[in-house]
Amino acid sequence: MSLAVAVEFLTPMPARRIVQLEDVKVRFGAGPTSFLALDRTSLTVHAGDFVAMVGPSGCGKSTILKLVTGLLRPTEGEVFVAGRQVGAERVGVGMAFQNPTMLPWLTIRQNVMLPLKIVEPYRSAFRAEKNGAFRDRAEALLAKVGLSGFGDRRPWELSGGMLQRANLCRALIHEPKLLMLDEPFGALDQFTREELWSILQALWMEARPTVFLVTHDLREAAFLATRILVMSARPGRVVEDRDVGFVRPRTIDTTYEEGFTALTHGLRSSIMAARQSEAKAS
Amino acid sequence: MTVTARLREHLNSALLIAGIFVAWELACLLFHVSPIVLPRPSQVVSTLVVDMPALWPNILQTLFTTLVGFVGGMTIGVLLGVLVGVSRTAYNTAYPLLVGFSSIPKVAVVPIFVLWFGSGTIPAVLTAMTTCLFPIVVNVATGLATTEPEMEDVLKALGATRWQVLWNVGLPRAMPYFFASLKIAVTLAFVGTVLSETVASNSGIGTVMMMASANFDVPLAFAGLFALAILGIILYAVFAVIEHRICGWASRKTELATG
Ligand SMILES: Nc1ncnc2c1ncn2[C@@H]1O[C@H](COP(=O)(O)OP(=O)(O)OP(=O)(O)O)[C@@H](O)[C@H]1O
Ligand SMILES: [Mg+2]
């Protein structure tokens, strides 16, 4: 572990806000066919948090991730990342999209190395290191998610689940301070998924990035997160904010503890309630 | 595609061509068609061989003119295509203009070029260039403008500049479109060159064919046609090979539209 990271661990960090949404409204389209995806949504994420967001489908979770990464501008309200307003300047974050969009003209390894080509400080060294240290780094990461030997393959030669794992590698390769994950394990089988939970937890405990994870899997949220946000139906708003205090490293055994089951059960009722209120509204 | 499958495809193409020639030959013999109307393929080929010393400089002239025009058209086409394709507004604004320009019959522009530059190689080069320009512009622009936003988002989320997005996503994504248009463009460039040569030049295959038909030397005119077809196939094949090398990733997917 590098010295810088070690120091960060020793000094108690003041709870820095790394992501802040203030009364954000997002409207898609214009005129009578337009609709609100988000309406006066506010939320705050502190540095070093592992936040999981759950909520009914279509409530605006992916939209929130796009706001934070600067891919989308809010119709109203403000989005801050690391104290700076998003939009004026894009903030380099790691992001795994809901659909793993690998570029088909690149190999898996080249896809994974893409952030190194774009983001400083790696960018300046990319030309020199792309067949050296950076390549090794990509291979090591691919091996961690069980994709060793697939670096030279093309995206279409991999299964959906394998692509999602490569997608995760691409989000992590440049060791971002802020990691946005949009259902990164959605297409995986139960066992692989649980395996990757542990890998992600280990990575988080090692480098302590701020993670913002969107998921439909309540066990996943409870297993990984330090904080869980529950969204209402569209237009999505945070209706519940829970801290999760299970000791780390959490293991699969944790998921069979009583407190864990109670938590996922509680989350389930909240989301059911949110869905029903939507059914009533429409 | 496996090597044997590709070989078989080539073999089929060759058989098709051979079959057509045999049918043509037999039909001419059977119906006693005069060589003044339609020469037999064997006559055309023997003319091609016998007159090769005289034809060769003209073939080179046409090839040279075509390639110069093609390279010019390609350069301008790519620049214009990128310019039009980078923004959706530019694409939507410029598209009608492009369609308008590309539907102008190129025969119509030859007299104008001759008026400006006199007869000879220059108008032929320019005609070749304008003929092959628009498929390239349209294809490059379409390739860029239809890039999936999701692919661009991957880079944008990392804070990439417009230029980086263009270089890493837009241009590679437009490559298959570009090469598809090159194959078409190179054959169109031939059409342009020969068009101009038949109207205003004193060398090149177009000129040879013009003079041959004036002298009722129909086999020679057909020999010129054959020479053009062969050159066209060779250049097409060259670009097809380059395309396969560079854009192999795209050929396993959908067939791409050509301009
Ligand atoms: N580009 C767009 N144009 C129009 N509507 C959009 C667009 N993107 C999202 N929406 C709409 O905004 C709403 C929120 O979308 P979003 O993708 O954020 O949902 P989500 O919470 O991520 O859903 P899921 O859990 O199914 O992924 C949806 O109702 C969707 O139809
Ligand atoms: Mg989503």
Side-chain angles (χ1 to χ4, degrees):
Chain A
M1 195 188 294
S2 73
L3 188 64
V5 177
V7 169
E8 246 178 68
F9 255 112
L10 293 176
T11 45
M13 288 250 294
R16 229 164 20 96
R17 291 168 182 171
I18 190 159
V19 175
Q20 199 173 357
L21 270 66
E22 276 177 12
D23 289 331
V24 167
K25 196 183 247 187
V26 173
R27 181 186 291 280
F28 285 110
T33 56
S34 77
F35 62 82
L36 277 174
L38 295 175
D39 189 16
R40 280 180 289 123
T41 307
S42 299
L43 65 89
T44 308
V45 177
H46 298 288
D49 267 2
F50 195 129
V51 176
M53 176 175 267
V54 295
S57 185
C59 69
K61 303 183 295 293
S62 299
T63 305
I64 288 178
L65 294 203
K66 283 184 184 160
L67 284 171
V68 173
T69 42
L71 295 173
L72 200 70
R73 305 275 174 90
T75 314
E76 272 172 41
E78 271 153 328
V79 180
F80 296 95
V81 174
R84 276 181 307 186
Q85 191 153 9
V86 175
E89 191 178 350
R90 285 206 196 91
V91 190
V93 295
M95 171 133 184
F97 290 88
Q98 195 165 353
N99 308 309
T101 40
M102 294 279 142
L103 308 182
W105 52 88
L106 299 179
T107 63
I108 293 296
R109 192 192 311 106
Q110 287 167 331
N111 264 293
V112 169
M113 280 161 60
L114 208 54
L116 303 179
K117 201 173 171 184
I118 304 297
V119 177
E120 291 290 8
Y122 306 101
R123 192 179 139 199
S124 351
F126 188 77
R127 213 173 266 271
E129 298 289 353
K130 67 179 170 192
N131 292 317
F134 287 179
R135 185 196 160 102
D136 297 343
R137 187 192 189 123
E139 281 300 335
L141 205 52
L142 282 170
K144 251 185 201 167
V145 299
L147 282 181
S148 49
F150 286 92
D152 287 311
R153 299 285 193 95
R154 296 291 174 140
W156 65 83
E157 297 175 300
L158 267 63
S159 73
M162 291 160 109
L163 284 177
Q164 276 196 332
R165 291 188 243 175
N167 197 23
L168 189 64
C169 291
R170 185 170 63 187
L172 288 168
I173 186 106
H174 56 301
E175 298 184 341
K177 283 264 173 287
L178 178 59
L179 186 58
M180 312 295 282
L181 304 173
D182 199 347
E183 299 178 33
F185 310 128
L188 297 174
D189 65 281
Q190 182 82 25
F191 295 99
T192 317
R193 194 183 300 187
E194 289 174 354
E195 195 186 316
L196 285 176
W197 291 353
S198 299
I199 292 171
L200 184 57
Q201 175 177 246
L203 286 167
W204 180 75
M205 289 175 70
E206 198 180 298
R208 280 295 170 132
T210 310
V211 183
F212 196 109
L213 168 80
V214 168
T215 177
H216 280 298
D217 185 340
L218 303 179
R219 289 178 66 236
E220 182 172 301
F223 182 91
L224 285 168
T226 50
R227 204 176 137 208
I228 297 179
L229 302 178
V230 181
M231 295 280 284
S232 69
R234 184 170 62 84
R237 266 195 237 170
V238 180
V239 289
E240 220 174 298
D241 187 343
R242 297 194 188 205
D243 285 320
V244 185
F246 307 117
V247 286
R248 291 194 193 263
R250 298 168 188 168
T251 62
I252 296 307
D253 290 335
T254 314
T255 66
Y256 294 102
E257 283 169 17
E258 210 170 299
F260 195 94
T261 323
L263 175 62
T264 50
H265 200 220
L267 289 172
R268 193 186 139 80
S269 338
S270 307
I271 294 175
M272 288 297 276
R275 284 177 50 141
Q276 261 145 27
S277 73
E278 174 185 40
K280 234 175 274 164
S282 57
Chain B
M1 208 177 351
T2 62
V3 177
T4 48
R6 206 175 305 147
L7 263 180
R8 177 165 318 145
E9 238 171 45
H10 288 324
L11 193 68
N12 286 344
S13 304
L15 281 178
L16 177 66
I17 295 171
I20 286 175
F21 280 172
V22 169
W24 175 357
E25 184 90 27
L26 290 179
C28 285
L29 286 174
L30 204 65
F31 300 111
H32 304 289
V33 182
S34 152
I36 299 288
V37 179
L38 181 65
R40 283 178 277 127
S42 59
Q43 290 172 321
V44 175
V45 171
S46 77
T47 312
L48 199 57
V49 173
V50 171
D51 288 347
M52 195 40 101
L55 275 173
W56 188 242
N58 290 299
I59 291 176
L60 287 185
Q61 165 72 19
T62 298
L63 186 62
F64 172 76
T65 309
T66 302
L67 287 182
V68 173
F70 172 68
V71 169
M74 188 171 77
T75 314
I76 299 174
V78 169
L79 290 178
L80 278 180
V82 170
L83 213 64
V84 171
V86 276
S87 99
R88 195 149 285 262
T89 333
Y91 184 75
N92 291 334
T93 313
Y95 208 88
L97 185 73
L98 287 176
V99 172
F101 262 119
S102 63
S103 52
I104 292 175
K106 298 304 170 300
V107 198
V109 301
V110 180
I112 299 174
F113 287 143
V114 173
L115 197 71
W116 288 345
F117 302 102
S119 65
T121 309
I122 294 177
V125 166
L126 289 177
T127 314
M129 202 173 88
T130 44
T131 317
C132 73
L133 181 66
F134 291 103
I136 300 178
V137 178
V138 169
N139 263 33
V140 170
T142 305
L144 284 176
T146 59
T147 304
E148 293 81 353
E150 293 78 19
M151 287 191 182
E152 298 185 328
D153 282 355
V154 172
L155 288 203
K156 283 186 187 162
L158 293 165
T161 61
R162 266 181 88 95
W163 172 246
Q164 286 175 318
V165 175
L166 178 70
W167 184 253
N168 289 294
V169 181
L171 291 182
R173 169 56 229 266
M175 270 301 146
Y177 289 81
F178 172 60
F179 276 101
S181 74
L182 281 195
K183 289 188 296 186
I184 304 297
V186 78
T187 52
L188 283 180
F190 265 115
V191 174
T193 305
V194 174
L195 203 69
S196 179
E197 283 173 353
T198 51
V199 177
S201 183
N202 44 25
S203 62
I205 299 178
T207 312
V208 169
M209 286 170 59
M210 207 55 199
M211 294 197 308
S213 62
N215 299 334
F216 296 104
D217 188 351
V218 182
L220 183 59
F222 269 86
L225 278 187
F226 274 39
L228 283 176
I230 293 167
L231 285 183
I233 291 176
I234 291 173
L235 286 188
Y236 184 97
V238 167
F239 283 103
V241 169
I242 299 177
E243 176 188 24
H244 191 77
R245 281 280 167 80
I246 297 184
C247 303
W249 61 269
S251 56
R252 51 142 225 127
K253 289 204 305 193
T254 47
E255 297 231 328
L256 291 158
T258 52

